[in-house]
Amino acid sequence: VHHRLPVWDAAADRAAAAFAAHAAAEPVPITVTLPNGATHSGVRFVTTPMDIAKAISESLARRAIVAVVDGETQWDLNRPLEGDAKLKICDFSDEEGKRVLWHST
C-alpha cells in the first residue's frame, strides 16, 4: 500500500493542475440538466455538482453523497464538470448513493 501512495499523489497533482489550467483559460459556459428537466448554467472546469446542489438547496447539499453524470459516470461532488451534462445528485435514498456510501465506509 505504501508504494501506491506516491503514485496516487502524483496522479492527483496532475489532475489538479489540468483542471486549474482549464479553469484559468477563457470561461466556457455549460448547461447542466437535472432529471426533472430543470437546467442550471455553469462554467466548464469550474462548476461542480456540489455547486449545483447548493444552488438547489442547502439541504440537498448536506445530504448529497455522489453525482451521476450523463447517466453512467459516478462523479465526485467536488470534481468540476467538463462540459454540458445531465446530472443526478444522489443521496442515501438512491441505490447509487447507498452503494457509494457503503463501499467507502
mmCIF file of all heavy atoms in Angstrom, residues 73-95:
data_model
loop_
_atom_site.group_PDB
_atom_site.id
_atom_site.type_symbol
_atom_site.label_atom_id
_atom_site.label_comp_id
_atom_site.label_asym_id
_atom_site.label_seq_id
_atom_site.Cartn_x
_atom_site.Cartn_y
_atom_site.Cartn_z
ATOM 1 N N THR A 73 -21.676 7.795 -15.237
ATOM 2 C CA THR A 73 -20.409 8.008 -14.568
ATOM 3 C C THR A 73 -20.602 8.483 -13.140
ATOM 4 O O THR A 73 -21.241 9.499 -12.916
ATOM 5 C CB THR A 73 -19.575 9.062 -15.330
ATOM 6 O OG1 THR A 73 -19.438 8.666 -16.683
ATOM 7 C CG2 THR A 73 -18.209 9.228 -14.708
ATOM 8 N N GLN A 74 -20.046 7.754 -12.174
ATOM 9 C CA GLN A 74 -20.020 8.249 -10.796
ATOM 10 C C GLN A 74 -19.035 9.401 -10.758
ATOM 11 O O GLN A 74 -17.925 9.305 -11.275
ATOM 12 C CB GLN A 74 -19.562 7.166 -9.833
ATOM 13 C CG GLN A 74 -20.568 6.101 -9.603
ATOM 14 C CD GLN A 74 -20.078 5.087 -8.583
ATOM 15 O OE1 GLN A 74 -18.975 5.163 -8.080
ATOM 16 N NE2 GLN A 74 -20.916 4.120 -8.296
ATOM 17 N N TRP A 75 -19.452 10.490 -10.160
ATOM 18 C CA TRP A 75 -18.671 11.716 -10.200
ATOM 19 C C TRP A 75 -18.547 12.272 -8.791
ATOM 20 O O TRP A 75 -19.563 12.476 -8.117
ATOM 21 C CB TRP A 75 -19.413 12.707 -11.085
ATOM 22 C CG TRP A 75 -18.603 13.764 -11.721
ATOM 23 C CD1 TRP A 75 -18.320 15.000 -11.212
ATOM 24 C CD2 TRP A 75 -18.005 13.732 -13.004
ATOM 25 N NE1 TRP A 75 -17.583 15.727 -12.100
ATOM 26 C CE2 TRP A 75 -17.372 14.965 -13.216
ATOM 27 C CE3 TRP A 75 -17.937 12.765 -14.007
ATOM 28 C CZ2 TRP A 75 -16.691 15.278 -14.380
ATOM 29 C CZ3 TRP A 75 -17.254 13.072 -15.165
ATOM 30 C CH2 TRP A 75 -16.639 14.310 -15.339
ATOM 31 N N ASP A 76 -17.348 12.549 -8.348
ATOM 32 C CA ASP A 76 -17.150 13.173 -7.048
ATOM 33 C C ASP A 76 -17.858 14.526 -7.036
ATOM 34 O O ASP A 76 -17.842 15.253 -8.032
ATOM 35 C CB ASP A 76 -15.654 13.361 -6.795
ATOM 36 C CG ASP A 76 -15.376 13.913 -5.423
ATOM 37 O OD1 ASP A 76 -15.387 13.124 -4.462
ATOM 38 O OD2 ASP A 76 -15.179 15.137 -5.315
ATOM 39 N N LEU A 77 -18.460 14.866 -5.915
ATOM 40 C CA LEU A 77 -19.246 16.103 -5.828
ATOM 41 C C LEU A 77 -18.411 17.354 -6.023
ATOM 42 O O LEU A 77 -18.934 18.395 -6.415
ATOM 43 C CB LEU A 77 -19.973 16.165 -4.485
ATOM 44 C CG LEU A 77 -21.045 15.097 -4.298
ATOM 45 C CD1 LEU A 77 -21.488 15.050 -2.837
ATOM 46 C CD2 LEU A 77 -22.229 15.369 -5.213
ATOM 47 N N ASN A 78 -17.110 17.279 -5.776
ATOM 48 C CA ASN A 78 -16.243 18.449 -5.907
ATOM 49 C C ASN A 78 -15.401 18.440 -7.169
ATOM 50 O O ASN A 78 -14.551 19.310 -7.355
ATOM 51 C CB ASN A 78 -15.363 18.591 -4.671
ATOM 52 C CG ASN A 78 -16.197 18.909 -3.449
ATOM 53 O OD1 ASN A 78 -17.025 19.813 -3.490
ATOM 54 N ND2 ASN A 78 -16.011 18.162 -2.382
ATOM 55 N N ARG A 79 -15.644 17.474 -8.041
ATOM 56 C CA ARG A 79 -14.924 17.423 -9.314
ATOM 57 C C ARG A 79 -15.639 18.320 -10.319
ATOM 58 O O ARG A 79 -16.836 18.177 -10.558
ATOM 59 C CB ARG A 79 -14.900 15.988 -9.839
ATOM 60 C CG ARG A 79 -14.224 15.850 -11.172
ATOM 61 C CD ARG A 79 -14.243 14.404 -11.633
ATOM 62 N NE ARG A 79 -13.811 14.304 -13.017
ATOM 63 C CZ ARG A 79 -13.850 13.186 -13.720
ATOM 64 N NH1 ARG A 79 -14.300 12.073 -13.160
ATOM 65 N NH2 ARG A 79 -13.458 13.180 -14.969
ATOM 66 N N PRO A 80 -14.918 19.251 -10.943
ATOM 67 C CA PRO A 80 -15.562 20.147 -11.911
ATOM 68 C C PRO A 80 -16.130 19.389 -13.114
ATOM 69 O O PRO A 80 -15.566 18.390 -13.567
ATOM 70 C CB PRO A 80 -14.423 21.073 -12.356
ATOM 71 C CG PRO A 80 -13.435 21.022 -11.243
ATOM 72 C CD PRO A 80 -13.518 19.614 -10.705
ATOM 73 N N LEU A 81 -17.239 19.885 -13.606
ATOM 74 C CA LEU A 81 -17.855 19.316 -14.802
ATOM 75 C C LEU A 81 -17.058 19.754 -16.025
ATOM 76 O O LEU A 81 -16.562 20.878 -16.089
ATOM 77 C CB LEU A 81 -19.311 19.761 -14.906
ATOM 78 C CG LEU A 81 -20.200 19.278 -13.755
ATOM 79 C CD1 LEU A 81 -21.527 20.018 -13.752
ATOM 80 C CD2 LEU A 81 -20.407 17.783 -13.834
ATOM 81 N N GLU A 82 -16.957 18.870 -17.012
ATOM 82 C CA GLU A 82 -16.097 19.127 -18.165
ATOM 83 C C GLU A 82 -16.847 19.638 -19.378
ATOM 84 O O GLU A 82 -16.234 19.939 -20.405
ATOM 85 C CB GLU A 82 -15.334 17.858 -18.502
ATOM 86 C CG GLU A 82 -14.443 17.414 -17.361
ATOM 87 C CD GLU A 82 -13.757 16.090 -17.590
ATOM 88 O OE1 GLU A 82 -13.931 15.501 -18.680
ATOM 89 O OE2 GLU A 82 -13.067 15.634 -16.666
ATOM 90 N N GLY A 83 -18.161 19.751 -19.282
ATOM 91 C CA GLY A 83 -18.965 20.241 -20.391
ATOM 92 C C GLY A 83 -20.435 20.117 -20.059
ATOM 93 O O GLY A 83 -20.793 19.820 -18.911
ATOM 94 N N ASP A 84 -21.301 20.368 -21.062
ATOM 95 C CA ASP A 84 -22.730 20.189 -20.839
ATOM 96 C C ASP A 84 -22.965 18.790 -20.279
ATOM 97 O O ASP A 84 -22.296 17.834 -20.691
ATOM 98 C CB ASP A 84 -23.503 20.330 -22.155
ATOM 99 C CG ASP A 84 -23.501 21.753 -22.673
ATOM 100 O OD1 ASP A 84 -23.211 22.691 -21.908
ATOM 101 O OD2 ASP A 84 -23.813 21.929 -23.869
ATOM 102 N N ALA A 85 -23.897 18.678 -19.337
ATOM 103 C CA ALA A 85 -24.081 17.384 -18.692
ATOM 104 C C ALA A 85 -25.506 17.207 -18.196
ATOM 105 O O ALA A 85 -26.182 18.175 -17.861
ATOM 106 C CB ALA A 85 -23.121 17.241 -17.512
ATOM 107 N N LYS A 86 -25.915 15.946 -18.162
ATOM 108 C CA LYS A 86 -27.124 15.547 -17.446
ATOM 109 C C LYS A 86 -26.637 15.106 -16.078
ATOM 110 O O LYS A 86 -25.761 14.244 -15.972
ATOM 111 C CB LYS A 86 -27.830 14.409 -18.165
ATOM 112 C CG LYS A 86 -28.390 14.825 -19.509
ATOM 113 C CD LYS A 86 -29.052 13.649 -20.209
ATOM 114 C CE LYS A 86 -29.551 14.102 -21.573
ATOM 115 N NZ LYS A 86 -30.061 12.978 -22.356
ATOM 116 N N LEU A 87 -27.197 15.701 -15.025
ATOM 117 C CA LEU A 87 -26.675 15.495 -13.680
ATOM 118 C C LEU A 87 -27.750 14.986 -12.745
ATOM 119 O O LEU A 87 -28.845 15.539 -12.685
ATOM 120 C CB LEU A 87 -26.122 16.825 -13.134
ATOM 121 C CG LEU A 87 -25.630 16.831 -11.700
ATOM 122 C CD1 LEU A 87 -24.369 15.973 -11.558
ATOM 123 C CD2 LEU A 87 -25.352 18.262 -11.255
ATOM 124 N N LYS A 88 -27.414 13.935 -12.014
ATOM 125 C CA LYS A 88 -28.267 13.444 -10.934
ATOM 126 C C LYS A 88 -27.434 13.484 -9.663
ATOM 127 O O LYS A 88 -26.320 12.950 -9.622
ATOM 128 C CB LYS A 88 -28.738 12.016 -11.205
ATOM 129 C CG LYS A 88 -29.591 11.462 -10.087
ATOM 130 C CD LYS A 88 -30.036 10.030 -10.386
ATOM 131 C CE LYS A 88 -30.857 9.491 -9.222
ATOM 132 N NZ LYS A 88 -31.154 8.069 -9.401
ATOM 133 N N ILE A 89 -27.948 14.131 -8.646
ATOM 134 C CA ILE A 89 -27.267 14.198 -7.361
ATOM 135 C C ILE A 89 -27.894 13.142 -6.462
ATOM 136 O O ILE A 89 -29.092 13.168 -6.216
ATOM 137 C CB ILE A 89 -27.383 15.605 -6.761
ATOM 138 C CG1 ILE A 89 -26.724 16.604 -7.718
ATOM 139 C CG2 ILE A 89 -26.756 15.652 -5.379
ATOM 140 C CD1 ILE A 89 -27.001 18.040 -7.404
ATOM 141 N N CYS A 90 -27.078 12.209 -5.999
ATOM 142 C CA CYS A 90 -27.584 11.072 -5.237
ATOM 143 C C CYS A 90 -27.324 11.246 -3.745
ATOM 144 O O CYS A 90 -26.250 11.668 -3.331
ATOM 145 C CB CYS A 90 -26.903 9.788 -5.706
ATOM 146 S SG CYS A 90 -27.150 9.433 -7.457
ATOM 147 N N ASP A 91 -28.326 10.863 -2.954
ATOM 148 C CA ASP A 91 -28.178 10.817 -1.504
ATOM 149 C C ASP A 91 -28.483 9.386 -1.060
ATOM 150 O O ASP A 91 -28.584 8.479 -1.885
ATOM 151 C CB ASP A 91 -29.045 11.865 -0.807
ATOM 152 C CG ASP A 91 -30.532 11.656 -1.026
ATOM 153 O OD1 ASP A 91 -30.944 10.576 -1.505
ATOM 154 O OD2 ASP A 91 -31.296 12.577 -0.711
ATOM 155 N N PHE A 92 -28.639 9.177 0.226
ATOM 156 C CA PHE A 92 -28.826 7.821 0.736
ATOM 157 C C PHE A 92 -30.159 7.203 0.307
ATOM 158 O O PHE A 92 -30.331 5.994 0.378
ATOM 159 C CB PHE A 92 -28.690 7.801 2.261
ATOM 160 C CG PHE A 92 -28.478 6.427 2.817
ATOM 161 C CD1 PHE A 92 -27.275 5.768 2.633
ATOM 162 C CD2 PHE A 92 -29.477 5.783 3.514
ATOM 163 C CE1 PHE A 92 -27.074 4.492 3.135
ATOM 164 C CE2 PHE A 92 -29.289 4.507 4.028
ATOM 165 C CZ PHE A 92 -28.077 3.864 3.831
ATOM 166 N N SER A 93 -31.092 8.011 -0.174
ATOM 167 C CA SER A 93 -32.365 7.449 -0.636
ATOM 168 C C SER A 93 -32.229 6.813 -2.015
ATOM 169 O O SER A 93 -33.123 6.093 -2.453
ATOM 170 C CB SER A 93 -33.458 8.525 -0.660
ATOM 171 O OG SER A 93 -33.183 9.487 -1.656
ATOM 172 N N ASP A 94 -31.122 7.044 -2.711
ATOM 173 C CA ASP A 94 -30.864 6.449 -4.034
ATOM 174 C C ASP A 94 -29.988 5.212 -3.878
ATOM 175 O O ASP A 94 -29.076 5.192 -3.046
ATOM 176 C CB ASP A 94 -30.113 7.438 -4.936
ATOM 177 C CG ASP A 94 -30.895 8.693 -5.207
ATOM 178 O OD1 ASP A 94 -31.940 8.589 -5.853
ATOM 179 O OD2 ASP A 94 -30.443 9.770 -4.767
ATOM 180 N N GLU A 95 -30.233 4.198 -4.681
ATOM 181 C CA GLU A 95 -29.403 2.995 -4.639
ATOM 182 C C GLU A 95 -27.941 3.340 -4.920
ATOM 183 O O GLU A 95 -27.035 2.793 -4.290
ATOM 184 C CB GLU A 95 -29.912 1.942 -5.634
ATOM 185 C CG GLU A 95 -31.198 1.283 -5.194
ATOM 186 C CD GLU A 95 -31.082 0.610 -3.828
ATOM 187 O OE1 GLU A 95 -30.079 -0.089 -3.565
ATOM 188 O OE2 GLU A 95 -32.003 0.792 -3.011
#
